[in-house]
Amino acid sequence: MNPSQPSRSPITLPRIRIDFSDLDFYGEEVSGLKFEDSHLEYRNGADNEFHKKRLLGLTPYLYIYIKGGTFKYTFSETEKEIIDKILKEENKATLKIQVDDPELKSCLEWTIPKTFPKKVKGLKFKEDTGLITIEELIFEHKGMSVNECHQKP
């Protein structure tokens, strides 16, 4: 490396914070945070016009997939039992997903009410680090809202 060139800092990726039913953890990857309105094409037989009209249909929502979840602090055995109970029951709670920038300020926040876990895969306790990790967590929901959290000057 040439000493006259400035050193490059490594690229820092945004962090994804997840809050569900008083459980705070971080995820590596989140997908399914989109929705698309469907349309119906309709033509009334008594219309003088010979073209179809488009009507707004139902909004299908996708499942939310969270991969590589790590809880941000260690738990005792009783707290782990509570986590297992919350994740296994059909507990409808509000799911909040926040994306943090490298300065740990929240950039975007999705609020998803009446969410419940559909599938939990790979809930593990790592003895070397003392953390609980989740390989994959799938949520079902009926709607969401997104907010931009930064205050622009």
Side-chain angles (χ1 to χ4, degrees):
M1 179 176 207
N2 189 350
S4 64
Q5 292 178 346
S7 63
R8 296 183 187 183
S9 62
I11 297 174
T12 56
L13 297 175
R15 294 177 10 157
I16 303 169
R17 284 189 298 165
I18 299 146
D19 179 21
F20 175 71
S21 185
D22 297 329
L23 295 175
D24 294 324
F25 60 99
Y26 293 99
E28 293 177 7
E29 180 183 336
V30 176
S31 62
L33 294 174
K34 62 181 180 178
F35 58 92
E36 183 177 307
D37 289 332
S38 63
H39 292 83
L40 302 172
E41 291 186 355
Y42 171 75
R43 183 181 178 278
N44 189 352
D47 283 346
N48 292 333
E49 300 173 3
F50 292 106
H51 66 281
K52 298 176 189 174
K53 295 178 183 176
R54 284 190 114 176
L55 300 174
L56 187 62
L58 298 174
T59 303
Y61 292 99
L62 303 173
Y63 292 132
I64 295 175
Y65 293 86
I66 299 172
K67 295 183 181 178
T70 304
F71 291 95
K72 64 181 182 178
Y73 47 84
T74 59
F75 296 98
S76 66
E77 189 63 33
T78 57
E79 289 171 324
K80 184 180 183 306
E81 291 170 2
I82 293 170
I83 292 168
D84 289 340
K85 181 180 175 186
I86 290 173
L87 292 179
K88 288 181 182 174
E89 291 180 3
E90 289 192 4
N91 182 15
K92 292 190 177 185
T94 299
L95 174 68
K96 288 188 180 182
I97 300 172
Q98 295 178 337
V99 178
D100 295 342
D101 63 6
E103 288 112 29
L104 301 179
K105 294 180 183 173
S106 186
C107 299
L108 289 173
E109 178 181 84
W110 285 265
T111 304
I112 307 149
K114 297 181 183 175
T115 307
F116 62 91
K118 182 146 179 82
K119 181 180 177 184
V120 178
K121 180 180 174 185
L123 183 64
K124 297 178 184 174
F125 179 73
K126 293 191 174 187
E127 294 178 11
D128 56 342
T129 59
L131 296 174
I132 296 175
T133 61
I134 295 176
E135 187 177 327
E136 184 179 51
L137 186 56
I138 301 173
F139 288 100
E140 188 170 330
H141 66 99
K142 303 290 184 222
M144 69 176 79
S145 63
V146 63
N147 299 319
E148 188 173 343
C149 300
H150 278 313
Q151 298 292 331
K152 296 185 179 181

